[in-house]
């Protein structure tokens, strides 16, 4: 009898602890995770028309209940989604330096397309490709809505052998010009919308800044870094950034070089063995990225690869999405005042969301 009473008491206590825990987490969720979407833009007629037609921009962001911090938001997005099949059709185009750019066109189920159907040109983050889960999901969703989606794969980030000794970041703007011009030639009467995730959004911003006479009808950037220099400074001294994110990027770079080692050993101004000995991305930039870019210093590299200094030059209607708790990109890297002063830009921010983790 005493044992039964003890078990009953323990069960009651456990239920009580669970109830209190759920209530406390509910309070935490409401106070810290629920996030109204904040919009920053000039209220001209065009921008107001865009906002009025995008009902999600007028609402709030409700994170998945188990995802309680910014790191989990990104990890779950990348690692724990079920697979979907965009039914790719692959095409290749060749850059001037001989690099092969692989284009994967999503041809999953959807309405019949016409030559006028809008084309959506996707770019991934630093280590992504067309089979990254956030790309495959978006591919399938876009086809269902009657869009023609296509993703450009950066050289070195697929299993396809590299045909020139460079990675994506060395010549991003000319690659995008080739990509977008090719799409425009295929579908001259179709609107072309660009969507870039992380570094892909950064590359698109550089593209529209440096190529003002481009055929894009619209652009959306998702967690674009704007300033690699500010992001690099933000990472220093943070354990998870230096030991998780930095090492993830480092291993991806080394893996790409290892798969294409023969072609990199033909370049006399880089030492492949020094590249393999790099302990972090800072050393990787010095042994690989900077010499391959034919630059002299890390400062030159950062200066060449920033999109925050010419925000005023963006003429394409652009929606910029950013979460203030992004663990990769600091809030001060976002050029808010320049965005405010450009009538073509709309900035949508949430307090939570992580790095491309909405």
């Amino acid at each position: 009898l005493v044992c039964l009473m003890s078990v009953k008491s323990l069960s009651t206590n456990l239920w009580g602890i669970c109830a209190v825990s759920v209530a406390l987490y509910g309070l935490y969720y409401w106070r810290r995770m629920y996030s109204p979407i904040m919009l920053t833009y000039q209220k001209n007629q065009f921008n107001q028309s865009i906002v009025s037609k995008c009902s999600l921009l007028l609402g709030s962001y409700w994170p998945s209940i188990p995802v309680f911090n910014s790191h989990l938001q990104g990890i779950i997005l990348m690692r724990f989604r079920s697979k979907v099949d965009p039914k790719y059709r692959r095409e290749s185009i060749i850059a001037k330096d001989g690099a092969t750019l692989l284009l994967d066109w999503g041809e999953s189920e959807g309405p019949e397309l016409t030559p006028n159907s809008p084309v959506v040109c996707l770019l991934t983050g630093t280590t992504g490709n067309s089979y990254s889960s956030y790309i495959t999901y978006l591919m399938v969703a876009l086809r269902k809505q009657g869009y023609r989606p296509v993703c450009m794969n950066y050289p070195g980030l697929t299993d396809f052998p590299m045909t020139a000794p460079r990675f994506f970041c060395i010549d991003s703007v000319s690659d995008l010009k080739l990509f977008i011009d090719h799409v425009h030639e295929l579908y001259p009467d179709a609107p072309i919308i660009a969507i870039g995730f992380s570094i892909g959004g950064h590359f698109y911003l550089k593209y529209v800044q440096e190529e003002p006479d481009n055929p894009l009808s619209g652009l959306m950037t998702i967690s674009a870094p704007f300033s690699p220099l500010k992001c690099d400074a933000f990472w220093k001294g943070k354990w998870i950034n230096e030991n998780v994110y930095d090492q993830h990027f480092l291993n991806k770079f080394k893996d790409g070089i290892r798969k294409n080692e023969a072609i990199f050993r033909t370049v006399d101004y880089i030492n492949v063995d020094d590249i393999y000995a790099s302990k972090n991305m800072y050393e990787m930039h010095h042994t690989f990225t900077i010499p391959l870019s034919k630059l002299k210093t890390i400062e030159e590299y950062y200066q060449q690869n920033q999109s925050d200094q010419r925000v005023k030059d963006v003429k394409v209607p652009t929606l910029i999405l950013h979460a203030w708790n992004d663990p990769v990109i600091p809030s001060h890297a976002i050029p808010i005042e320049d965005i405010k002063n450009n009538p073509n830009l709309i900035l949508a921010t949430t307090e939570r969301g992580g790095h491309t983790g909405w």
Side-chain angles (χ1 to χ4, degrees), residues 246-259:
D246 190 87
Q247 291 301 304
H248 167 74
F249 294 138
L250 180 68
N251 291 334
K252 285 287 187 177
F253 268 64
K254 287 183 178 180
D255 184 54
I257 293 165
R258 193 172 288 110
K259 288 178 180 177

Side-chain angles (χ1 to χ4, degrees), residues 31 39 298:
R31 295 291 300 273
L39 298 178
I298 190 73

Side-chain angles (χ1 to χ4, degrees), residues 69-224:
N69 72 21
S70 59
H71 304 293
L72 282 177
Q73 285 170 322
I75 292 170
I76 286 177
L77 172 71
M78 291 188 293
R79 300 295 183 188
F80 297 108
R81 276 181 163 179
S82 57
K83 302 289 186 181
V84 296
D85 183 8
K87 300 190 183 303
Y88 283 136
R89 172 177 60 84
R90 175 159 287 183
E91 177 185 13
S92 63
I93 52 179
I94 307 299
K96 287 182 180 179
D97 66 353
T100 301
L101 308 179
L102 301 178
L103 312 184
D104 283 332
W105 296 82
E107 297 188 344
S108 55
E109 183 179 350
E112 184 176 352
L113 300 176
T114 70
N116 298 329
S117 297
V119 182
V120 180
C121 297
L122 303 175
L123 279 184
T124 70
T126 302
T127 59
N129 59 39
S130 59
Y131 286 93
S132 298
S133 63
Y134 57 92
I135 294 293
T136 59
Y137 267 78
L138 189 53
M139 281 275 183
V140 171
L142 288 168
R143 271 298 294 121
K144 287 180 179 178
Q145 296 296 320
Y147 294 91
R148 179 180 277 112
V150 56
C151 179
M152 186 189 85
N153 292 286
Y154 306 121
L157 291 180
T158 68
D159 290 331
F160 187 86
M162 294 177 67
T163 54
R166 70 165 169 88
F167 271 180
F168 65 92
C169 55
I170 309 302
D171 203 19
S172 58
V173 172
S174 67
D175 282 352
L176 286 188
K177 178 172 171 50
L178 180 62
F179 173 35
I180 299 300
D181 285 351
H182 175 75
V183 170
H184 185 52
E185 288 173 9
L186 291 176
Y187 302 101
D189 299 322
I192 302 175
I193 301 96
I195 301 177
F197 289 81
S198 190
I199 199 80
H202 171 72
F203 287 162
Y204 267 133
L205 286 168
K206 281 176 55 63
Y207 165 70
V208 297
Q209 291 167 5
E210 298 178 23
E211 298 287 339
D213 297 323
N214 61 76
L216 293 183
S217 298
L219 167 62
M220 181 165 67
T221 71
I222 303 169
S223 301

